[in-house]
Amino acid sequence: MDTSETILSVKDLRVRFRTLDGVVEAVKGINIHVNAGETVAVVGESGSGKSQTMMAAMSLLASNGEATGVVDYRGRNLLTLSKSELNQVRGRKISMIFQEPMTSLDPLYSIGNQLIEPIRRHRGLGAAQAREEALKLLRLVHIPDPERRMKSYPHELSGGQRQRVMIAMALANDPDILIADEPTTALDVTIQAQILMLLAELQRKLGMAIVFITHDLGIVRRLADRVYVMRYGEVVEEGEAEAIFVNPQHAYTKMLLAAEPTGIKAPPPLNAPVLLEGRNVEVTFKIGGGFLAGEPLILRAVDHISIRLKRNQTIGIVGESGSGKSTLGRALLRLLPSDGFIRFGDRDISAADRKAMRPLRRELQLVFQDPFGSLSPRMTVGQVITEGLLVHEPTLSGRQRDLRAVDALREVGLDPNARNRYPHEFSGGQRQRIAIARAMILKPKVVVLDEPTSALDRSVQKQIVELLRKLQADHELSYLFISHDLAVVRAMSDYIIVMKQGKIVEEGPTEAIFSNPQAAYTQTLMAAAIDVTRFRLSA
Amino acid sequence: MLRYVFRRLLTAIPTLLVIVTMAFFLIRVAPGGPFNQERGLSPEIKANLEAQFGLNDPLWLQYVHYLGNLLRGNFGPSYNMPDFTVGELFARGLPVSIQIGASALILALLLGGLLGTIAALNQNKLADYSVIALATAGSTIPTFVIAPVIQLLFGLTWRLLPIGGWGDGALLNKIGPVLTLALPQIAIVARLMRGSMIESLRSHHIRTARALGLSDWSVVVKHALRGAILPIVSFTGPAAAALLTGSIIVETIFSIPGIGRYFVEAALNRDYTLVMGTVVVIALFTIVFNLIVDVMYAFVDPRVRYD
């Protein structure tokens, strides 16, 4: 492939945002170039400025942002073009797809309408011709039944299909460069793999250059020819993808590469007591129905699942969105009404109501995915983590509670002074530590961890995994670890349950599942997540 | 959709019944009655009148009679304007109120929508601040101040408009009341529109539209505006019900024969039937316009599905 000609070069690009706290420099004078037909990855964690770099290049910065420097596309500086000149390039020569397939399409117009619009605008085709082109594009991105899909609205499509439609829109005018900003981050692993394969296939067919903005080194390893590693608005390392993986130079790159969670969890002894047991647990949701509205639709989110969690054991529950894994976790803690038998210790809690559950809550704790939404913004960290003590140990004095808060924060690796500050002053990883401290302060026996690392950067994920491991060893905790992230699940669990559509597809010891998956679905899942073979071998 | 409308209309019946019942008994709990005023009615005449209107019957019987009449579309006679039935009063006044109210509503939606959009597109710039200042003024200055000012300037100083009166529905006579009624609504719509347009312009699909190189017109009008209009649609339901049933202040100051005056007058005079009639009309308008809004919603937003 011809990679000699440089078509896009970013020179000394700076991006600044005027905020209430003064000017924030998001990108600090970086240089990047893209050659015709190649795949470039811009890698970095949140806040590295990788997205803002490309937003600036496309003049898509928020209104308080400004960019200086040069973004040279085939001899023209995009930063100085007039709006109408710019719109000759955007969507035509350089196009973009985004992380959020759910919200990146206009919810009020049909797929066909949205697909036809850029075709007509840039190519000046008539309505009928543009429609034909749109259908061709839908076929190109493998949307089944394209005639019918033209009339569909975005909400009627799955996440993967919407991302395919976005790709079709971006490729409508045969661009030189496709910028893909975390295109698969919001998708399930099997869908991620499909979208990446599609992009590789389209690149082979159409020959455009692709710029991947991503935090996912798996994508980089599979697809990229060249890599830029960004941190705090600067490019810290650049080079051939192979070279960077084999022989990283910068300490940050080395850290990123080492950030995949590793290690294994030894199973508990065979005679360890079963702490939490569910037999034939079933959760159903009614959709619709009511006065004059006819029969409701019954959705079986958890379908006759049995599970035995021993002391000091971690059961990983794996599945894609909608598989019922979170619902199962909540049902086992009796946070949702369910049918079937549930036992905690030697108590049958199948029918325990809220009041009966309350004294048990301190031993059955839950940590959520979203470290931003799950901490009350109007309470200090100290208040957040000691709130449970007010309920479960009401005899403690304020002084004693404060001491417990200090201990809990130390235990999760935070400065005890943090207790006088508010959650918004902390980063995502620190907030997740606070959420863990809130659970640990009650000295629980069982903790349900519902995607505790999914919202975090890889390097932070690893720290949280290590923290959870240490806490488990120190306190003989039992974890129910719910996640779609197989790498993290593998490092955390000694037993794995694979769920799909409310049912168990496969279960067994971690190594058995990973080394020799039996069910076809598990195999697909593994292949999508773990396999690092390249989708496209570069020339 | 038809099924949904039918269901909504069906559920309106118990709603109306509750409203009618509460209003019926509440106004009768209030001390006094329609013929208690200091007109020096002799006890015999008063007794006769009360007998004639059935006011001596037990309360439950009066209630049953009222419901029966209402079902036949008969609002009953007005106690204080004995020459008219309540139905006749509405037949004369309602068209006037609807004309003024509808004009004010349309003006408010168009002008308010436009101002709000301009403000949103120029966020934190001069145009934006001007609209905000105007909107704040519009929603804080009471109508009983705006109306006389309009009369003073347009009627007396510049002699462009008549000071008041209906003039058999002449266009010039309507301008003052429509403006007075519309100004606060323009302010509300402009604020709503500004807020939802700013939010809409920030949404991801607008970023997509820009990244595709679509024209500003398409980005703003086709994509941003349609999404931003939803809160305005919700606002229109209750606003229409309020505006179309008249305003006592505007009708009194401009001496317009609408129905807005009746509600307060009737309540003060204990004109039971007229109070009830007004309650029923306002309730009906509210129910119907909220239904219309919900149906409109489904047309603007394909994600909204009924049945």
Side-chain angles (χ1 to χ4, degrees):
Chain A
M1 144 187 357
D2 174 29
T3 53
S4 54
E5 187 197 5
T6 296
I7 50 178
L8 183 75
S9 67
V10 171
K11 288 173 203 144
D12 195 28
L13 180 74
R14 283 168 197 278
V15 179
R16 291 187 194 85
F17 289 96
R18 280 172 284 111
T19 71
L20 290 176
D21 300 329
V23 175
V24 175
E25 194 155 52
V27 179
K28 300 168 183 165
I30 63 162
N31 298 297
I32 281 177
H33 70 271
V34 180
N35 296 332
E38 74 168 344
T39 304
V40 175
V42 182
V43 186
E45 300 190 295
S46 47
S48 62
K50 59 188 192 298
S51 285
Q52 296 309 331
T53 301
M54 290 304 150
M55 291 294 179
M58 295 283 276
S59 292
L60 291 173
L61 288 176
S63 58
N64 63 337
E66 62 165 358
T68 56
V70 177
V71 178
D72 184 308
Y73 169 72
R74 292 187 187 272
R76 286 195 287 175
N77 182 2
L78 297 185
L79 295 184
T80 56
L81 291 185
S82 73
K83 204 152 195 187
S84 62
E85 287 171 319
L86 184 69
N87 281 338
Q88 295 298 310
V89 177
R90 292 200 293 204
R92 185 173 185 180
K93 297 295 181 191
I94 309 178
S95 59
M96 208 163 172
I97 58 176
F98 300 96
Q99 175 174 353
E100 304 86 359
M102 296 304 178
T103 50
S104 291
L105 295 167
D106 192 332
L108 305 183
Y109 293 94
S110 66
I111 300 304
N113 187 324
Q114 295 186 60
L115 206 44
I116 286 169
E117 198 179 354
I119 299 176
R120 294 198 64 177
R121 170 157 176 85
H122 291 298
R123 288 200 245 158
L125 295 181
Q129 272 176 304
R131 209 187 109 82
E132 278 311 304
E133 283 298 307
L135 277 171
K136 244 189 248 171
L137 284 164
L138 286 181
R139 277 186 212 108
L140 186 70
V141 297
H142 308 302
I143 292 270
D145 202 356
E147 295 273 354
R148 196 166 61 88
R149 278 302 173 211
M150 290 282 278
K151 295 192 203 89
S152 298
Y153 288 91
H155 70 276
E156 295 166 327
L157 271 58
S158 68
Q161 284 179 323
R162 287 188 222 187
Q163 200 59 297
R164 284 171 193 270
V165 171
M166 274 299 293
I167 293 171
M169 284 166 73
L171 298 181
N173 299 302
D174 199 10
D176 269 354
I177 304 172
L178 174 68
I179 301 170
D181 187 355
E182 303 268 13
T184 59
T185 306
L187 302 172
D188 279 326
V189 273
T190 52
I191 311 294
Q192 280 184 12
Q194 290 168 13
I195 294 291
L196 293 176
M197 266 190 273
L198 173 70
L199 284 171
E201 175 200 326
L202 292 172
Q203 189 178 31
R204 267 199 312 273
K205 270 189 202 160
L206 308 173
M208 72 282 186
I210 298 184
V211 179
F212 272 106
I213 303 168
T214 184
H215 69 282
D216 185 343
L217 291 166
I219 293 183
V220 179
R221 194 174 295 181
R222 287 169 166 199
L223 287 163
D225 299 320
R226 279 190 314 115
V227 179
Y228 293 90
V229 181
M230 283 187 73
R231 185 195 198 187
Y232 305 141
E234 285 164 359
V235 171
V236 295
E237 183 162 0
E238 60 176 285
E240 301 290 317
E242 287 300 321
I244 285 203
F245 278 103
V246 175
N247 186 18
Q249 298 299 313
H250 195 278
Y252 180 68
T253 317
K254 287 179 190 166
M255 195 275 287
L256 270 187
L257 288 172
E260 293 259 309
T262 49
I264 51 162
K265 159 86 173 67
L270 281 175
N271 61 357
V274 174
L275 271 188
L276 185 65
E277 180 182 14
R279 281 206 298 262
N280 289 320
V281 178
E282 188 180 74
V283 180
T284 49
F285 294 115
K286 262 195 246 174
I287 297 172
F291 179 59
L292 286 171
E295 284 294 297
L297 193 72
I298 304 281
L299 184 79
R300 197 156 278 129
V302 173
D303 197 354
H304 289 96
I305 286 196
S306 298
I307 184 170
R308 288 159 64 89
L309 180 66
K310 293 180 181 170
R311 185 161 76 208
N312 208 10
Q313 185 178 38
T314 302
I315 298 186
I317 303 180
V318 176
E320 299 188 294
S321 47
S323 61
K325 55 189 192 303
S326 291
T327 312
L328 172 64
R330 261 152 234 213
L332 288 171
L333 296 189
R334 299 279 313 141
L335 291 168
L336 280 176
S338 59
D339 293 324
F341 172 79
I342 302 171
R343 174 171 73 87
F344 173 60
D346 42 21
R347 289 189 53 172
D348 175 359
I349 56 168
S350 314
D353 57 14
R354 290 175 96 137
K355 205 166 149 231
M357 283 306 293
R358 198 165 295 140
L360 302 178
R361 290 269 173 242
R362 70 174 293 185
E363 301 185 326
L364 294 167
Q365 284 292 308
L366 183 63
V367 174
F368 299 96
Q369 167 174 2
D370 179 8
F372 297 91
S374 61
L375 303 176
S376 169
R378 282 174 197 81
M379 288 164 79
T380 64
V381 168
Q383 287 169 332
V384 167
I385 60 178
T386 55
E387 198 179 17
L389 290 177
L390 293 174
V391 178
H392 294 292
E393 295 181 49
T395 54
L396 286 185
S397 67
R399 172 99 192 103
Q400 286 169 311
R401 275 202 304 277
D402 197 48
L403 286 174
R404 290 279 288 274
V406 170
D407 286 345
L409 287 171
R410 277 219 185 91
E411 192 156 35
V412 298
L414 286 175
D415 180 355
N417 289 329
R419 68 192 191 284
N420 301 318
R421 292 158 62 189
Y422 287 89
H424 72 265
E425 300 173 56
F426 296 89
S427 69
Q430 287 171 323
R431 283 189 223 199
Q432 203 56 294
R433 284 175 193 267
I434 294 168
I436 293 169
R438 171 172 60 180
M440 297 315 293
I441 200 168
L442 296 171
K443 309 199 183 308
K445 291 187 173 145
V446 173
V447 184
V448 173
L449 301 156
D450 192 350
E451 304 264 12
T453 59
S454 302
L456 307 172
D457 281 328
R458 259 296 187 221
S459 55
V460 183
Q461 274 184 9
K462 187 176 180 174
Q463 295 162 11
I464 296 291
V465 164
E466 271 155 21
L467 170 66
L468 289 170
R469 244 189 218 144
K470 179 183 145 274
L471 291 170
Q472 181 168 44
D474 290 353
H475 302 286
E476 289 212 309
L477 293 173
S478 305
Y479 288 149
L480 217 52
F481 193 90
I482 300 166
S483 182
H484 68 278
D485 186 335
L486 291 170
V488 178
V489 170
R490 183 182 205 171
M492 280 293 297
S493 335
D494 54 75
Y495 192 86
I496 284 180
I497 289 177
V498 182
M499 281 184 72
K500 190 187 181 188
Q501 289 166 4
K503 293 195 173 74
I504 295 183
V505 179
E506 185 166 2
E507 60 181 310
T510 304
E511 275 324 297
I513 296 272
F514 273 85
S515 57
N516 189 18
Q518 298 298 312
Y521 177 70
T522 318
Q523 289 167 0
T524 326
L525 214 56
M526 297 289 161
I530 308 294
D531 191 8
V532 290
T533 43
R534 287 177 64 89
F535 289 124
R536 186 184 70 117
L537 290 172
S538 51
Chain B
M1 178 61 86
L2 274 177
R3 216 180 109 138
Y4 170 77
V5 172
F6 178 69
R7 203 164 70 222
R8 282 282 297 267
L9 287 175
L10 220 60
T11 50
I13 294 171
T15 313
L16 264 179
L17 187 71
V18 169
I19 293 171
V20 167
T21 309
M22 283 182 59
F24 184 89
F25 289 104
L26 275 177
I27 185 74
R28 275 167 174 77
V29 167
F35 307 113
N36 283 7
Q37 308 201 331
E38 58 265 58
R39 280 199 221 139
L41 287 184
S42 68
E44 295 83 30
I45 298 179
K46 192 179 161 209
N48 271 339
L49 277 170
E50 286 182 346
Q52 187 202 333
F53 290 118
L55 292 173
N56 294 328
D57 294 339
L59 206 51
W60 66 267
L61 192 62
Q62 293 183 37
Y63 174 66
V64 172
H65 278 150
Y66 184 76
L67 276 190
N69 285 332
L70 195 60
L71 279 181
R72 277 175 255 130
N74 180 3
F75 287 105
S78 166
Y79 296 145
N80 284 96
M81 289 173 263
D83 295 340
F84 302 97
T85 66
V86 172
E88 283 165 356
L89 288 174
F90 285 152
R92 292 200 326 182
L94 200 54
V96 174
S97 291
I98 289 180
Q99 278 183 50
I100 299 290
S103 314
L105 182 67
I106 292 168
L107 184 67
L109 291 177
L110 291 179
L111 202 57
L114 184 68
L115 286 175
T117 307
I118 291 173
L121 290 174
N122 297 286
Q123 200 192 346
N124 296 335
K125 291 183 191 151
L126 184 66
D128 184 23
Y129 293 132
S130 318
V131 171
I132 293 175
L134 220 79
T136 311
S139 47
T140 45
I141 303 175
T143 32
F144 57 77
V145 175
I146 296 175
V149 169
I150 288 180
Q151 285 176 322
L152 189 70
L153 291 180
F154 292 92
L156 284 175
T157 314
W158 298 324
R159 298 194 176 276
L160 296 172
L161 300 176
I163 294 168
W166 181 236
D168 274 333
L171 182 66
L172 285 181
N173 288 58
K174 291 180 193 160
I175 293 177
V178 167
L179 267 183
T180 310
L181 209 52
L183 275 177
Q185 306 298 326
I186 292 173
I188 297 172
V189 174
R191 282 174 154 237
L192 264 180
M193 190 70 197
R194 174 182 180 271
S196 70
M197 190 71 182
I198 285 174
E199 199 178 309
S200 182
L201 284 168
R202 278 197 201 128
S203 58
H204 290 140
H205 63 266
I206 294 302
R207 184 184 60 187
T208 305
R210 292 221 161 99
L212 286 169
L214 303 185
S215 64
D216 275 355
W217 174 263
S218 170
V219 170
V220 171
V221 177
K222 180 175 170 185
H223 293 285
L225 201 62
R226 185 161 164 195
I229 222 133
L230 290 169
I232 310 289
V233 174
S234 320
F235 161 81
T236 307
L243 289 177
L244 301 193
T245 49
S247 145
I248 174 163
I249 294 172
V250 172
E251 288 175 9
T252 309
I253 295 179
F254 287 100
S255 47
I256 297 169
I259 64 161
R261 302 168 299 165
Y262 292 152
F263 201 28
V264 179
E265 281 173 20
L268 291 177
N269 294 336
R270 304 283 183 274
D271 192 342
Y272 295 152
T273 41
L274 190 53
V275 169
M276 293 301 299
T278 323
V279 167
V280 170
V281 167
I282 292 179
L284 262 179
F285 270 66
T286 309
I287 288 171
V288 168
F289 276 102
N290 278 320
L291 176 59
I292 292 176
V293 159
D294 286 345
V295 171
M296 292 263 296
Y297 234 89
F299 280 101
V300 181
D301 188 342
R303 285 167 298 183
V304 177
R305 271 290 172 77
Y306 302 117
D307 59 52

